[in-house]
Amino acid sequence: MHDNYFLWKDEAVSRYVLGTAQLGFDYGISNKYGRPGREEANSIINSAWAMGARAFDTARGYGESELVLGELLHSNNYIDSSAIITKITPLSADPDGYSWVRRSIEQSIQLLHTPSLWAVLLHRFDMLEQWEEGLGSILNELKAENKVKHLGVSVYTVEEVKNALKYSDIDIIQAPCNIWSPELYTEGIIKDALESGKLILIRSLFLQGLILMSPDEVLEKMPIAHDASVEWFDILEENEVSAWDMCMRFAAQLKVPVILGADNAEQAYLNGSFLDMQSLNLSEIKDIHERLRPYLSEKIVNPTMWK
């Protein structure tokens, strides 16, 4: 039987976290299905639940994701056993300072049918610049009121992870880590964070689907990554393994919670199998990355730079 949970701060945290951006809008470079309907969304949640997912990642900025997720968790009676993570996105202007934070979180709580949120994250690293200006104070007030259990930030780069770790009030950092850009693992940053009492939640295991695409598909949709994709598929052929299996084996080695989205119920079910996969070891991960490194750049591994 697979180990569904990761122990952090004496709390059992689900290692399989269902990402729910797909429930709110069309998401991912390789998405061929579009946003799922309500029935399929329900099947996605039930399939992930069957595979051990007890945590769900959403955001105010994910279209109707919070609404759909909240209704379905509630109708399936999953709320009390679920850890829900959401992210706040700042308003362009608010004459009342940071009162928008309280409104945003209270709206999330209402939509998600939960008395409190397991974690609230800032949706962008640059929002940390406002932490000492009042943003941190109001978030800590909501934490003291038990409306939020943990505070955190969503980031995109290793440098942003390192800087976010310096904030004492930040418990959780959500960051990309995958076989094409494994530095958070290979450089020991995940381990160091845990030793300081902080948790790094891993996302972008498939780099929004780019890692799973064939070289021909990559050439059509992101030509800049074609050479990397060709080398990647050479590696896969040599090891007689699929791209998906290699990503799953990488995830199995991380040991910390991994956020995995799904376009359909079958994907949601299969994604949970990383808990049972034979993991890659550190040496194997480094060897693969060394081969890919000459073909990679920030413009490839950081989706915020995609055009």
Side-chain angles (χ1 to χ4, degrees):
M1 179 65 184
H2 52 233
D3 182 6
N4 288 352
Y5 295 98
F6 174 83
L7 193 63
W8 176 61
K9 292 189 174 182
D10 297 323
E11 182 178 4
V13 181
S14 177
R15 287 180 62 201
Y16 177 14
V17 183
L18 181 67
T20 65
Q22 284 91 336
L23 304 188
F25 53 69
D26 294 348
Y27 178 82
I29 191 172
S30 65
N31 188 330
K32 299 176 182 177
Y33 304 98
R35 178 185 169 192
R38 194 62 58 96
E39 185 175 341
E40 182 66 25
N42 191 50
S43 296
I44 288 171
I45 288 172
N46 280 315
S47 293
W49 190 272
M51 288 300 285
R54 296 295 183 272
F56 300 87
D57 179 74
T58 184
R60 296 292 294 151
Y62 287 171
E64 294 188 342
S65 175
E66 285 186 334
L67 171 67
V68 174
L69 178 63
E71 287 181 357
L72 295 177
L73 290 178
H74 178 69
S75 65
N76 285 293
N77 294 315
Y78 292 160
I79 289 287
D80 292 343
S81 302
S82 297
I84 301 175
I85 304 155
T86 196
K87 307 175 202 72
I88 56 172
T89 304
L91 299 175
S92 56
D94 188 339
D96 298 323
Y98 290 98
S99 60
W100 65 266
V101 176
R102 180 175 290 276
R103 291 197 303 272
S104 178
I105 290 174
E106 288 177 347
Q107 286 169 359
S108 292
I109 286 171
Q110 182 178 6
L111 287 170
L112 290 161
H113 295 268
T114 182
S116 65
L117 297 161
W118 187 75
V120 168
L121 313 183
L122 309 181
H123 210 146
R124 301 196 311 265
F125 174 79
D126 61 11
M127 293 174 69
L128 279 173
E129 296 173 1
Q130 304 167 53
W131 194 265
E132 301 298 334
E133 299 173 6
L135 180 57
S137 295
I138 196 162
L139 283 169
N140 275 301
E141 283 177 17
L142 289 158
K143 188 175 178 180
E145 295 167 15
N146 295 318
K147 292 184 178 179
V148 179
K149 188 167 188 179
H150 301 293
L151 301 176
V153 61
S154 177
V155 306
Y156 272 93
T157 68
V158 171
E159 196 60 33
E160 288 178 349
V161 171
K162 291 177 179 178
N163 286 325
L165 287 169
K166 298 174 184 176
Y167 286 76
S168 59
D169 290 336
I170 294 294
D171 304 309
I172 294 171
I173 300 169
Q174 186 185 123
C177 184
N178 51 63
I179 196 74
W180 282 22
S181 50
E183 293 87 352
L184 290 180
Y185 173 70
T186 57
E187 296 179 13
I189 298 168
I190 293 172
K191 181 174 179 289
D192 291 345
L194 289 171
E195 290 176 353
S196 67
K198 298 178 185 291
L199 179 63
I200 296 180
L201 289 179
I202 300 304
R203 73 166 189 275
S204 205
L205 186 71
F206 306 122
L207 196 51
Q208 295 193 14
L210 179 64
I211 295 176
L212 303 181
M213 292 163 60
S214 71
D216 286 345
E217 289 175 309
V218 173
L219 182 61
E220 179 184 349
K221 294 197 174 183
M222 190 181 290
I224 191 176
H226 181 249
D227 289 346
S229 181
V230 170
E231 182 67 18
W232 168 236
F233 270 78
D234 284 346
I235 294 169
L236 297 173
E237 186 174 344
E238 291 165 19
N239 288 275
E240 298 181 336
V241 66
S242 71
W244 185 86
D245 281 338
M246 193 73 92
C247 290
M248 289 287 108
R249 292 180 62 194
F250 175 77
Q253 179 60 27
L254 298 177
K255 308 306 179 190
V256 293
V258 177
I259 300 167
L260 291 162
D263 298 327
N264 54 63
E266 182 181 11
Q267 279 185 12
Y269 189 85
L270 291 174
N271 282 345
S273 64
F274 83 88
L275 298 167
D276 290 318
M277 298 288 279
Q278 179 182 353
S279 62
L280 295 173
N281 60 43
L282 177 60
S283 177
E284 290 171 323
I285 292 167
K286 284 185 173 180
D287 287 347
I288 292 169
H289 190 229
E290 281 304 309
R291 284 186 57 177
L292 291 171
R293 193 195 302 270
Y295 307 101
L296 295 171
S297 68
E298 185 73 8
K299 290 182 179 179
I300 295 172
V301 300
N302 185 345
T304 63
M305 302 182 75
W306 294 358
K307 293 183 179 179

